[in-house]
Amino acid sequence: MKLELKGVSYIYDPLASKVKKAVDDVSLTIEKGQFVGLVGHTGSGKSTLAQLLNGLVKPTAGQVLLDGQDVHAKGFPLKTLRQRVGLVFQYPEYQLFEENVLKDVCFGPKNLGLPRAEQIEKAKKALRLVGMEENLYDNSPFDLSGGERRRAAIAGVLAMEPDILVLDEPTAGLDPAGRDEILSQIARLCKEEGIGVVLISHSMEDVAAYTERMLVMDHGKLCFDDAPREVFRHVEELESMGLSAPQVTYIVRKLNERGFALPDDLLTVEEAKDAILKAIMK
Amino acid sequence: MAIIEIQKLTHEYKEYDEENREREVVRALSDVNLNIEEGSFVVILGHNGSGKSTLAKHVNALLMPTEGAVYVCGKNTAEEADSWKIRKDAGMIFQNPDNQIIGNVVEEDVAFGPENVGVPQDELSERVAMALEKAGMEAFRMESPNRLSGGQKQRVAVAGILALKPKCILMDEPTAMLDPSGRREVLNTVHELNRKEGITVLLITHYMEEAVRADRVIVMDEGHPVMDGTPKEIFARVDELKEYHMTVPCVTELAYELKKAGVALPDGILTKDELADALLKAREDSKEQSGADKA
Amino acid sequence: MIRDITLGQYYDADSVIHKLDPRVKLAFTIIYIVSLYVGNTVWTFLGAAAFLCVVIALTKVPVRFMLRGMKSILVLLIISALFNLFLVSGEPLIQWKFITITKEGVRMAGLMIVRLILLVMGTSLMTLTATPNELTDGLEKSLSFLKIFRIPVHAFGMMMNIALRFIPILIREVQQIMKAQEARGADFESGGLIKKAKAMVPLLIPLFVSAFRRANDLAQAMEARCYHGDEGRTKLHPLKYQKRDLIAYLILLLYLGAMIAQAVLIR
C-alpha cells in the first residue's frame, strides 16, 4: 500500500482575479505503518493537502496515485480511496448523527455495502481500538463527554479499516489528559495495527515526540520532508514560516548560551534530561 | 480589596432521562470559597468537568447559586435587578470565537454592549474607538468578522467587553480553538490590559504555559479548588498536579525530571533563565563535590 | 471563496444614493413599483426608464454589474413574453394552424418585458446601494409603528441581523459536514429522490445540532453583554434624516405625481 502525490497543485477559485494556489506542486509518498507529522501555519495549505490525500478535492494539476493507479482517472472507484485513506476532520464529533454510538460507527462500513454482521464487527473493533468502554455503545453520541465524542468520531473513520489515517488536529480543544489519551491511542494504531498515520498538528512537542517523519507546508509548498530531528535544526526558517521548534530546543539553546555544551538536536524532555545529567555529572 | 467574593458556593443541576424524569442531581460546584483581589491576574486550571466553567458563569450572573453567594464589586449575583451591572463590571469571553460576535461589522459588534446599557449615542463612537485601540484592533473597525482570523475574532470579543468599561474580564477557555499565534495574540492582549489598565483577569485554560505569567493559579477538581497559589508554588507540586490530570510547563517538567534524577535544583522553576541559573550552580556544586572527593 | 459571499448584491461605491437613508431607498422601491403600474402607455415606460437611468447614473454602479443581475431573470422574461404573445386575444396578426398571434398580444408582450426589466432593475437598486444591515435597520425603524399592536419589531430586526451574520458560517459548516461524511463513504449525489433524501439525514442532524449549539452560545454571549431587548437601548448609528433625504423624498413625490399626471392626461 503506497499513496503518492505527484506534482499536485490545487487552486480554490481558478476564475478569481488573484489566483492563489492552496497547494503548489507537492510531491510525496506515504506508506503503511509510517507515522508522519504535517505542520504549517494556518492557511499554509495543510488541510487542503489532507483532503487531496483521500480524494475529497480533485487536484487542479498533478496526480494522486494509490499503488500506482491514478485515483482521478475514469472508472477508478473513489470509494476505494476513501476507504483505504481515512480522513478525520477537525472537531470530528460534529459529524456524529446516529441515535447511538455503535450505529454511528457503523455508518462507514454500511456505506461500503458490507453485510450487517460485518458492519457491527468492524464498528466494535474500531471502538475497542479507540478505547471506548462497552457500556457506552448504546448511548446517544450527544450524551458523551467531549473526549469520548472525539474518540467515537475517530472510530467512525477507523471502522472502514483504512491503511492510512489522516487526522486534522485531533487534540484541538481537549484538556491535557484527553490530549495524551488520543495521541497515545493513535501511536498504538500505527505500531500495533500497522496503519500509516498523518497527524496534522500545531504542537511541535507532539510532532517531536510521536512522529518519525515531518512534512512542513508554507504558502502551499512542501518546504521540508524529513525526520523531525533534521527539520528542527532549521529553527530560524521554521520561525519565518510562523512556526517554532519544540520548547526543549529553546531551553537547550538557552543553556548553551549560558555556557553548557549540549547537543543541539535534542527534542524531548527525556533526551534533554539525559544530556544535562551527562554534562553535570561528568 | 477583593473584587470577587465567593462564599460557600454550591451549584447543582438536574439531569433528566428521556421521559423527563429526574435521573440524577449533579453537583458541579461544592462549597467553593474564593476571593479574587482587584487588579490581579488569576488563572484557573482543571480538567474537563472540574467545574471551572460553571464557576465563571456564576461570576457573570449567568447562573444562580444553589447554595452560598457570589459578590462582584460588592453586588450579589442573586439579585436579579443587579445582573446587568454585574455583567458590565465583569465581562465574559467565551471559547468559540464565532458564536459570540453579534455584529456584521466589527464596530457594530463592539458597540453592542454599550448600546444595550444605553450609553448615549454621542459617546458610543468614542467608546468603540477606545475599546478597539486597547485590544489592538483599530485597523479592523469596518471589517466583516467573517474575514478575521480566530485570534482577531477573540480580540474583537475582548474589545466588545472593554467598551463596557469593565473592572474585571472573565475568560472561559478563550484560546482553546486558536492556533499558537492566535493564542499568543489573545494572551498578550489581556496581559497588557491587566498591566496597563489594572483590569482584573480571571482566565480559565487548559494550557499550562498560559498560567506561568499569572499572579495566582487555582486548580479545580471535582467542583472545588484543590490548589491555590503563585505559579511558582503550584508548579513546584508536580506530582500533585499530575494526580489532577494536569501537566506542567516544559521547563518545569525538565527541572522536575532532573531533580528526580538527583540534581540539586530548587522547586518551581518556570523560566529558561531560572533553569540555566540553577543548573550552572548545580554544575559548580558537583565540580566542587568531585574535586573534594578527589582530594 | 464562501466567506466572501455577501447576501443580496451590495455594490460598494461612494455616491449620493449610497449615502441616503435606507428608508428612502425602501420608499423609492415601493414608489417605483407603483409608478410602473399607473399606466400602460409608452409614455409611462419612457418616463420610468428615464428616471431609472438618472438614478443609476447617480449610484455609480457600473451598468455591466446591473445587467449581470438580469441574466437570472432571462427565463422568466421569455416565458411571460410567450404567454402574452400567444394567449392574449384580439385582432389577429399572424395565424398558423392553431397558433394565433394578435396585435394586442405583441403589444402586451412588449410592455411586459419592458415593465419586468424596469421592475427588476429598479428594485435591485435597493440591494445594490444599501447593505443588508442598513436595510434591516431601515425596515425595523419604518415598521416601528407596529409596536403599538404589540408586534416585536425590534426582535425581528435582531433576528434578521443575526441571520445575516450566521448564514455564511452555516454554509461553510454544511460543506464541512458534507466532506466529513463523504470521507466516511457517504454519497450525496447518486440514486433517486428517496435515496437522496435519506442521504441528507447524516448532513441535516449534525447541522441542526450545531445550529442549536451556536444559538445557545450566542444567547449566552448576548446576555453576558447585557442584552435585554430594546428597552433603554441606544444605537451607534441611529437612522437620522439628513437634508438630502428630504430632497430625495421630494423628488420621489414629484416623480410619482408626474407619472400619475401623465397617465391621467395621456390616454
Side-chain angles (χ1 to χ4, degrees), chain A residues 203-251:
Chain A
S203 163
M204 300 301 147
E205 282 73 26
D206 292 347
V207 173
Y210 288 97
T211 70
E212 59 194 271
R213 174 179 165 201
M214 182 175 170
L215 309 173
V216 181
M217 293 283 291
D218 187 43
H219 289 107
K221 288 205 183 291
L222 182 63
C223 298
F224 289 104
D225 178 357
D226 210 335
R229 202 175 299 284
E230 297 309 312
V231 175
F232 285 127
R233 283 183 203 277
H234 306 263
V235 181
E236 278 72 27
E237 270 170 276
L238 289 172
E239 280 174 350
S240 74
M241 296 171 191
L243 302 169
S244 59
Q247 279 300 311
V248 167
T249 312
Y250 293 105
I251 296 173

Short mmCIF file of all heavy atoms in Angstrom, two decimals, chain A residues 203-251:
data_model
loop_
_atom_site.label_atom_id
_atom_site.label_comp_id
_atom_site.label_asym_id
_atom_site.label_seq_id
_atom_site.Cartn_x
_atom_site.Cartn_y
_atom_site.Cartn_z
N SER A 203 1.19 21.45 17.51
CA SER A 203 2.09 21.25 18.64
C SER A 203 3.38 20.59 18.18
O SER A 203 3.39 19.43 17.80
CB SER A 203 1.40 20.39 19.70
OG SER A 203 2.37 19.88 20.59
N MET A 204 4.45 21.35 18.22
CA MET A 204 5.74 20.81 17.80
C MET A 204 6.21 19.73 18.77
O MET A 204 6.92 18.81 18.39
CB MET A 204 6.79 21.92 17.74
CG MET A 204 6.42 23.02 16.78
SD MET A 204 6.20 22.40 15.10
CE MET A 204 4.94 23.48 14.51
N GLU A 205 5.78 19.86 20.03
CA GLU A 205 6.14 18.85 21.02
C GLU A 205 5.57 17.50 20.60
O GLU A 205 6.25 16.48 20.64
CB GLU A 205 5.60 19.22 22.41
CG GLU A 205 6.39 20.28 23.15
CD GLU A 205 6.21 21.67 22.56
OE1 GLU A 205 5.16 21.92 21.94
OE2 GLU A 205 7.12 22.49 22.70
N ASP A 206 4.30 17.49 20.21
CA ASP A 206 3.66 16.24 19.81
C ASP A 206 4.35 15.66 18.58
O ASP A 206 4.59 14.45 18.50
CB ASP A 206 2.17 16.48 19.50
CG ASP A 206 1.39 16.84 20.75
OD1 ASP A 206 1.95 16.67 21.84
OD2 ASP A 206 0.24 17.29 20.63
N VAL A 207 4.63 16.52 17.61
CA VAL A 207 5.29 16.04 16.39
C VAL A 207 6.65 15.45 16.75
O VAL A 207 7.03 14.38 16.27
CB VAL A 207 5.42 17.19 15.36
CG1 VAL A 207 6.26 16.74 14.18
CG2 VAL A 207 4.04 17.64 14.89
N ALA A 208 7.39 16.15 17.62
CA ALA A 208 8.72 15.67 18.00
C ALA A 208 8.64 14.35 18.77
O ALA A 208 9.46 13.47 18.59
CB ALA A 208 9.43 16.73 18.85
N ALA A 209 7.61 14.24 19.62
CA ALA A 209 7.54 13.07 20.48
C ALA A 209 7.01 11.83 19.75
O ALA A 209 7.38 10.72 20.07
CB ALA A 209 6.66 13.37 21.69
N TYR A 210 6.12 12.02 18.78
CA TYR A 210 5.44 10.86 18.22
C TYR A 210 5.85 10.48 16.80
O TYR A 210 5.77 9.32 16.44
CB TYR A 210 3.92 11.09 18.22
CG TYR A 210 3.30 11.04 19.60
CD1 TYR A 210 3.05 12.19 20.32
CD2 TYR A 210 2.98 9.82 20.17
CE1 TYR A 210 2.48 12.15 21.59
CE2 TYR A 210 2.42 9.76 21.43
CZ TYR A 210 2.17 10.92 22.14
OH TYR A 210 1.61 10.86 23.38
N THR A 211 6.24 11.44 15.97
CA THR A 211 6.37 11.11 14.55
C THR A 211 7.79 10.76 14.17
O THR A 211 8.75 11.12 14.84
CB THR A 211 5.89 12.26 13.65
OG1 THR A 211 6.81 13.34 13.75
CG2 THR A 211 4.51 12.72 14.06
N GLU A 212 7.91 10.02 13.07
CA GLU A 212 9.22 9.64 12.57
C GLU A 212 9.59 10.46 11.34
O GLU A 212 10.73 10.47 10.89
CB GLU A 212 9.22 8.16 12.20
CG GLU A 212 8.19 7.82 11.14
CD GLU A 212 7.95 6.34 11.01
OE1 GLU A 212 8.66 5.71 10.22
OE2 GLU A 212 7.05 5.82 11.69
N ARG A 213 8.59 11.14 10.80
CA ARG A 213 8.83 11.93 9.60
C ARG A 213 7.94 13.16 9.67
O ARG A 213 6.83 13.10 10.18
CB ARG A 213 8.46 11.08 8.39
CG ARG A 213 8.52 11.80 7.06
CD ARG A 213 8.15 10.82 5.96
NE ARG A 213 7.86 11.50 4.73
CZ ARG A 213 7.15 10.97 3.74
NH1 ARG A 213 6.67 9.74 3.86
NH2 ARG A 213 6.92 11.64 2.65
N MET A 214 8.43 14.27 9.14
CA MET A 214 7.73 15.52 9.35
C MET A 214 7.64 16.28 8.03
O MET A 214 8.63 16.47 7.33
CB MET A 214 8.54 16.33 10.37
CG MET A 214 7.95 17.64 10.74
SD MET A 214 8.97 18.32 12.06
CE MET A 214 8.29 19.96 12.13
N LEU A 215 6.40 16.68 7.68
CA LEU A 215 6.19 17.49 6.49
C LEU A 215 5.87 18.91 6.94
O LEU A 215 5.06 19.12 7.83
CB LEU A 215 5.00 16.95 5.69
CG LEU A 215 5.00 15.46 5.35
CD1 LEU A 215 3.68 15.07 4.71
CD2 LEU A 215 6.15 15.14 4.42
N VAL A 216 6.49 19.90 6.32
CA VAL A 216 6.22 21.29 6.67
C VAL A 216 5.68 22.02 5.45
O VAL A 216 6.31 22.02 4.40
CB VAL A 216 7.49 22.00 7.17
CG1 VAL A 216 7.17 23.44 7.57
CG2 VAL A 216 8.10 21.26 8.34
N MET A 217 4.49 22.59 5.60
CA MET A 217 3.89 23.34 4.50
C MET A 217 4.00 24.83 4.77
O MET A 217 3.86 25.28 5.90
CB MET A 217 2.40 22.99 4.38
CG MET A 217 2.10 21.58 3.95
SD MET A 217 2.33 21.32 2.20
CE MET A 217 0.97 22.27 1.52
N ASP A 218 4.24 25.59 3.70
CA ASP A 218 4.23 27.05 3.82
C ASP A 218 3.77 27.62 2.48
O ASP A 218 4.34 27.28 1.44
CB ASP A 218 5.62 27.56 4.19
CG ASP A 218 5.60 29.05 4.49
OD1 ASP A 218 4.66 29.50 5.17
OD2 ASP A 218 6.50 29.76 4.01
N HIS A 219 2.75 28.47 2.52
CA HIS A 219 2.21 29.06 1.29
C HIS A 219 1.95 28.02 0.21
O HIS A 219 2.27 28.25 -0.97
CB HIS A 219 3.14 30.14 0.76
CG HIS A 219 3.14 31.36 1.62
ND1 HIS A 219 4.19 31.70 2.45
CD2 HIS A 219 2.20 32.31 1.82
CE1 HIS A 219 3.89 32.80 3.10
NE2 HIS A 219 2.69 33.19 2.75
N GLY A 220 1.44 26.87 0.59
CA GLY A 220 1.08 25.85 -0.39
C GLY A 220 2.22 24.96 -0.82
O GLY A 220 2.01 23.97 -1.50
N LYS A 221 3.44 25.32 -0.46
CA LYS A 221 4.57 24.50 -0.88
C LYS A 221 5.02 23.57 0.25
O LYS A 221 4.91 23.91 1.42
CB LYS A 221 5.76 25.39 -1.27
CG LYS A 221 5.56 26.12 -2.58
CD LYS A 221 6.92 26.45 -3.17
CE LYS A 221 6.82 27.23 -4.46
NZ LYS A 221 6.29 26.48 -5.59
N LEU A 222 5.52 22.42 -0.16
CA LEU A 222 6.09 21.50 0.81
C LEU A 222 7.55 21.90 1.02
O LEU A 222 8.38 21.74 0.13
CB LEU A 222 5.99 20.06 0.29
CG LEU A 222 6.50 18.97 1.21
CD1 LEU A 222 5.71 18.91 2.48
CD2 LEU A 222 6.45 17.61 0.51
N CYS A 223 7.87 22.46 2.20
CA CYS A 223 9.21 23.02 2.41
C CYS A 223 10.18 22.01 3.03
O CYS A 223 11.36 22.07 2.78
CB CYS A 223 9.13 24.24 3.31
SG CYS A 223 8.16 25.53 2.58
N PHE A 224 9.67 21.15 3.90
CA PHE A 224 10.54 20.14 4.50
C PHE A 224 9.83 18.80 4.43
O PHE A 224 8.61 18.72 4.57
CB PHE A 224 10.83 20.45 5.96
CG PHE A 224 11.74 21.62 6.17
CD1 PHE A 224 11.23 22.83 6.60
CD2 PHE A 224 13.11 21.50 5.96
CE1 PHE A 224 12.06 23.91 6.81
CE2 PHE A 224 13.94 22.58 6.17
CZ PHE A 224 13.43 23.79 6.59
N ASP A 225 10.59 17.74 4.22
CA ASP A 225 10.06 16.38 4.30
C ASP A 225 11.22 15.53 4.80
O ASP A 225 12.04 15.05 4.03
CB ASP A 225 9.58 15.93 2.92
CG ASP A 225 9.07 14.49 2.94
OD1 ASP A 225 9.14 13.84 4.01
OD2 ASP A 225 8.59 14.02 1.91
N ASP A 226 11.30 15.41 6.13
CA ASP A 226 12.49 14.77 6.71
C ASP A 226 12.16 14.31 8.13
O ASP A 226 11.07 14.56 8.62
CB ASP A 226 13.64 15.79 6.75
CG ASP A 226 14.99 15.10 6.63
OD1 ASP A 226 15.09 13.92 6.99
OD2 ASP A 226 15.95 15.77 6.18
N ALA A 227 13.13 13.70 8.78
CA ALA A 227 12.93 13.32 10.17
C ALA A 227 12.83 14.59 11.02
O ALA A 227 13.51 15.57 10.73
CB ALA A 227 14.10 12.47 10.65
N PRO A 228 11.96 14.59 12.04
CA PRO A 228 11.80 15.79 12.87
C PRO A 228 13.14 16.34 13.37
O PRO A 228 13.35 17.55 13.37
CB PRO A 228 10.95 15.30 14.04
CG PRO A 228 10.19 14.15 13.49
CD PRO A 228 11.05 13.51 12.46
N ARG A 229 14.04 15.45 13.75
CA ARG A 229 15.32 15.92 14.28
C ARG A 229 16.06 16.77 13.26
O ARG A 229 16.68 17.78 13.61
CB ARG A 229 16.18 14.72 14.71
CG ARG A 229 17.24 15.07 15.73
CD ARG A 229 18.00 13.87 16.23
NE ARG A 229 17.17 12.87 16.91
CZ ARG A 229 16.70 13.00 18.13
NH1 ARG A 229 16.96 14.08 18.82
NH2 ARG A 229 15.95 12.06 18.68
N GLU A 230 15.97 16.38 12.01
CA GLU A 230 16.64 17.15 10.96
C GLU A 230 15.90 18.47 10.73
O GLU A 230 16.50 19.52 10.63
CB GLU A 230 16.70 16.34 9.66
CG GLU A 230 17.52 15.06 9.75
CD GLU A 230 18.91 15.32 10.33
OE1 GLU A 230 19.57 16.27 9.85
OE2 GLU A 230 19.31 14.60 11.27
N VAL A 231 14.57 18.38 10.65
CA VAL A 231 13.78 19.58 10.36
C VAL A 231 13.97 20.63 11.46
O VAL A 231 14.14 21.81 11.18
CB VAL A 231 12.28 19.23 10.21
CG1 VAL A 231 11.46 20.50 10.03
CG2 VAL A 231 12.07 18.28 9.04
N PHE A 232 13.98 20.19 12.71
CA PHE A 232 14.06 21.14 13.82
C PHE A 232 15.44 21.78 13.97
O PHE A 232 15.64 22.64 14.82
CB PHE A 232 13.61 20.49 15.13
CG PHE A 232 12.12 20.33 15.21
CD1 PHE A 232 11.54 19.11 15.50
CD2 PHE A 232 11.28 21.42 14.99
CE1 PHE A 232 10.16 18.97 15.58
CE2 PHE A 232 9.90 21.29 15.06
CZ PHE A 232 9.34 20.05 15.35
N ARG A 233 16.41 21.35 13.14
CA ARG A 233 17.68 22.07 13.13
C ARG A 233 17.51 23.45 12.50
O ARG A 233 18.30 24.35 12.73
CB ARG A 233 18.71 21.30 12.30
CG ARG A 233 19.31 20.11 13.00
CD ARG A 233 20.35 19.49 12.10
NE ARG A 233 20.58 18.10 12.44
CZ ARG A 233 21.39 17.69 13.40
NH1 ARG A 233 22.05 18.58 14.11
NH2 ARG A 233 21.55 16.42 13.66
N HIS A 234 16.44 23.58 11.67
CA HIS A 234 16.23 24.83 10.93
C HIS A 234 15.25 25.74 11.68
O HIS A 234 14.20 26.10 11.15
CB HIS A 234 15.69 24.54 9.54
CG HIS A 234 16.52 23.57 8.76
ND1 HIS A 234 17.47 24.00 7.85
CD2 HIS A 234 16.58 22.22 8.77
CE1 HIS A 234 18.06 22.93 7.33
NE2 HIS A 234 17.54 21.84 7.86
N VAL A 235 15.58 26.08 12.91
CA VAL A 235 14.65 26.84 13.74
C VAL A 235 14.29 28.18 13.10
O VAL A 235 13.12 28.55 13.04
CB VAL A 235 15.26 27.10 15.14
CG1 VAL A 235 14.29 27.86 16.00
CG2 VAL A 235 15.62 25.78 15.79
N GLU A 236 15.30 28.89 12.58
CA GLU A 236 15.04 30.22 12.03
C GLU A 236 14.07 30.15 10.85
O GLU A 236 13.15 30.95 10.74
CB GLU A 236 16.34 30.91 11.59
CG GLU A 236 17.10 31.58 12.73
CD GLU A 236 17.75 30.58 13.69
OE1 GLU A 236 18.07 29.45 13.23
OE2 GLU A 236 17.91 30.91 14.87
N GLU A 237 14.30 29.14 9.98
CA GLU A 237 13.41 29.01 8.83
C GLU A 237 11.99 28.69 9.27
O GLU A 237 11.02 29.23 8.75
CB GLU A 237 13.92 27.89 7.90
CG GLU A 237 14.88 28.40 6.85
CD GLU A 237 15.52 27.23 6.13
OE1 GLU A 237 16.52 26.71 6.68
OE2 GLU A 237 15.03 26.84 5.07
N LEU A 238 11.88 27.81 10.25
CA LEU A 238 10.55 27.47 10.76
C LEU A 238 9.86 28.70 11.33
O LEU A 238 8.68 28.94 11.09
CB LEU A 238 10.65 26.38 11.84
CG LEU A 238 11.02 24.99 11.36
CD1 LEU A 238 11.27 24.07 12.55
CD2 LEU A 238 9.92 24.40 10.48
N GLU A 239 10.63 29.50 12.05
CA GLU A 239 10.04 30.69 12.66
C GLU A 239 9.58 31.69 11.60
O GLU A 239 8.56 32.34 11.76
CB GLU A 239 11.03 31.35 13.62
CG GLU A 239 11.05 30.62 14.95
CD GLU A 239 12.11 31.12 15.91
OE1 GLU A 239 12.98 31.92 15.48
OE2 GLU A 239 12.07 30.70 17.08
N SER A 240 10.34 31.77 10.50
CA SER A 240 9.93 32.70 9.44
C SER A 240 8.63 32.22 8.79
O SER A 240 7.94 32.97 8.12
CB SER A 240 11.03 32.83 8.39
OG SER A 240 11.07 31.66 7.60
N MET A 241 8.27 30.96 8.99
CA MET A 241 7.00 30.45 8.45
C MET A 241 5.90 30.53 9.50
O MET A 241 4.83 29.96 9.32
CB MET A 241 7.16 28.97 8.06
CG MET A 241 8.13 28.72 6.95
SD MET A 241 8.38 26.93 6.81
CE MET A 241 9.77 26.92 5.71
N GLY A 242 6.17 31.21 10.60
CA GLY A 242 5.16 31.32 11.65
C GLY A 242 5.09 30.07 12.51
O GLY A 242 4.11 29.85 13.21
N LEU A 243 6.11 29.22 12.43
CA LEU A 243 6.13 28.01 13.26
C LEU A 243 7.21 28.14 14.32
O LEU A 243 7.81 29.19 14.47
CB LEU A 243 6.42 26.78 12.38
CG LEU A 243 5.42 26.55 11.25
CD1 LEU A 243 5.91 25.50 10.30
CD2 LEU A 243 4.07 26.16 11.82
N SER A 244 7.46 27.06 15.04
CA SER A 244 8.51 27.13 16.05
C SER A 244 9.12 25.75 16.20
O SER A 244 8.71 24.81 15.52
CB SER A 244 7.91 27.59 17.38
OG SER A 244 6.91 26.68 17.77
N ALA A 245 10.09 25.64 17.09
CA ALA A 245 10.66 24.34 17.43
C ALA A 245 10.03 23.92 18.76
O ALA A 245 9.39 24.73 19.42
CB ALA A 245 12.17 24.47 17.55
N PRO A 246 10.22 22.67 19.17
CA PRO A 246 9.70 22.28 20.49
C PRO A 246 10.35 23.12 21.59
O PRO A 246 11.48 23.59 21.44
CB PRO A 246 10.12 20.81 20.62
CG PRO A 246 10.39 20.35 19.25
CD PRO A 246 10.85 21.54 18.48
N GLN A 247 9.63 23.31 22.68
CA GLN A 247 10.13 24.08 23.82
C GLN A 247 11.54 23.64 24.23
O GLN A 247 12.39 24.47 24.53
CB GLN A 247 9.18 23.91 25.01
CG GLN A 247 7.96 24.78 24.95
CD GLN A 247 8.33 26.25 24.92
OE1 GLN A 247 9.12 26.73 25.71
NE2 GLN A 247 7.77 26.97 23.95
N VAL A 248 11.75 22.32 24.23
CA VAL A 248 13.03 21.79 24.70
C VAL A 248 14.19 22.37 23.88
O VAL A 248 15.24 22.70 24.42
CB VAL A 248 13.02 20.24 24.62
CG1 VAL A 248 14.42 19.68 24.79
CG2 VAL A 248 12.08 19.68 25.67
N THR A 249 13.98 22.52 22.58
CA THR A 249 15.02 23.09 21.73
C THR A 249 15.45 24.46 22.24
O THR A 249 16.63 24.79 22.29
CB THR A 249 14.50 23.21 20.29
OG1 THR A 249 13.91 21.98 19.93
CG2 THR A 249 15.62 23.55 19.33
N TYR A 250 14.45 25.27 22.61
CA TYR A 250 14.76 26.62 23.09
C TYR A 250 15.46 26.58 24.44
O TYR A 250 16.35 27.38 24.72
CB TYR A 250 13.48 27.46 23.18
CG TYR A 250 12.89 27.73 21.82
CD1 TYR A 250 11.76 27.06 21.38
CD2 TYR A 250 13.49 28.65 20.96
CE1 TYR A 250 11.23 27.30 20.13
CE2 TYR A 250 12.98 28.89 19.71
CZ TYR A 250 11.84 28.21 19.29
OH TYR A 250 11.34 28.45 18.05
N ILE A 251 15.04 25.63 25.28
CA ILE A 251 15.68 25.52 26.59
C ILE A 251 17.15 25.16 26.40
O ILE A 251 18.05 25.77 26.99
CB ILE A 251 14.98 24.44 27.45
CG1 ILE A 251 13.54 24.87 27.73
CG2 ILE A 251 15.73 24.20 28.75
CD1 ILE A 251 12.70 23.81 28.42
#
